[in-house]
Amino acid sequence: MSIDSRLSPLDEASMAPDQRRVLDAILSGPRGNLDGPFLAWIHSPELADHAQRLGAFCRYGTRLETRLTELAILFTAAWWQSQAEWQIHEPIAREAGVSEAVIEALRERREPAFERAAEALVYRLGKVLYTTRRVDDVLYAEAVEAFGEPAVVELVGVLGYYALVAMTLNVFEVRRGTEPLPFAER
């Protein structure tokens, strides 16, 4: 798959040693490829190193079910209208059990009709947080009751990390080859 962006291309042969070290860490980790925001972050090896470790935890290590993590990621991709983030995570979310109806509603920036209370709660928490930049006591207590305090901390981390991913992909116009774009360009 080809990746397009406004970034200057990196030639593996001319990478600095710290870029090579980070690239090797990314390629040997659970992702196994230099895709998405890593195409930008590798230009700043220190950022790439920290971000890839945080990202690996947010995607693979939280207490949340993968379905809920991927729902939060898709919600974030739709919120930021991040083309590549959506393209990368839509099939992962589907495989993790997020329904077609929920996926399509998110892509269209409509509130989904959730069949599962946990999914509705992840959506509400993300929407309230992104809209008001806060979460009220009632919603906070509901999330802690449903997921536990450590998982709520991790959910906020997922939302924040994937907002960083979306911003990175949007600024550097990372695109995944000839795949159709999920969101209209402005």
Side-chain angles (χ1 to χ4, degrees):
M1 159 185 329
S2 68
I3 304 289
D4 297 317
S5 79
R6 59 172 29 160
L7 293 158
S8 56
L10 282 176
D11 175 10
E12 287 189 45
S14 63
M15 280 185 172
D18 53 345
Q19 287 177 311
R20 169 55 57 196
R21 177 185 53 76
V22 173
L23 176 63
D24 291 345
I26 292 169
L27 295 179
S28 67
R31 289 177 197 89
N33 62 54
L34 187 68
D35 195 2
F38 302 103
L39 296 167
W41 294 340
I42 196 75
H43 290 268
S44 173
E46 282 293 313
L47 176 62
D49 192 34
H50 293 291
Q52 75 94 8
R53 287 184 288 140
L54 177 59
F57 173 77
C58 286
R59 183 157 172 209
Y60 304 108
T62 72
R63 291 165 176 81
L64 298 165
E65 295 174 45
T66 303
R67 174 178 50 85
L68 299 177
T69 300
E70 290 299 326
L71 173 64
I73 295 167
L74 279 191
F75 175 77
T76 301
W79 185 268
W80 285 93
Q81 294 191 323
S82 180
Q83 309 287 10
E85 186 170 49
W86 184 275
Q87 290 169 326
I88 292 166
H89 284 277
E90 180 196 14
I92 299 168
R94 183 177 293 108
E95 186 176 310
V98 178
S99 75
E100 290 296 326
V102 167
I103 290 170
E104 189 59 18
L106 290 173
R107 190 187 64 75
E108 293 175 355
R109 296 188 67 154
R110 291 184 291 108
E111 184 166 343
F114 291 101
E115 295 180 9
R116 300 174 184 177
E119 289 181 1
L121 185 54
V122 166
Y123 175 86
R124 282 192 0 252
L125 192 137
K127 185 173 183 181
V128 168
L129 178 58
Y130 284 169
T131 303
T132 70
R133 293 170 292 285
R134 302 286 186 278
V135 171
D136 64 39
D137 290 342
V138 173
L139 181 55
Y140 177 78
E142 188 179 345
V144 168
E145 175 70 25
F147 304 127
E149 191 172 54
V152 173
V153 169
E154 293 167 357
L155 175 57
V156 171
V158 169
L159 292 164
Y161 174 78
Y162 281 95
L164 170 63
V165 169
M167 288 187 282
T168 300
L169 295 170
N170 287 355
V171 167
F172 299 105
E173 296 181 353
V174 176
R175 300 287 186 267
R176 297 190 72 168
T178 60
E179 289 184 37
L181 297 178
F183 309 109
E185 287 289 295
R186 295 177 186 190

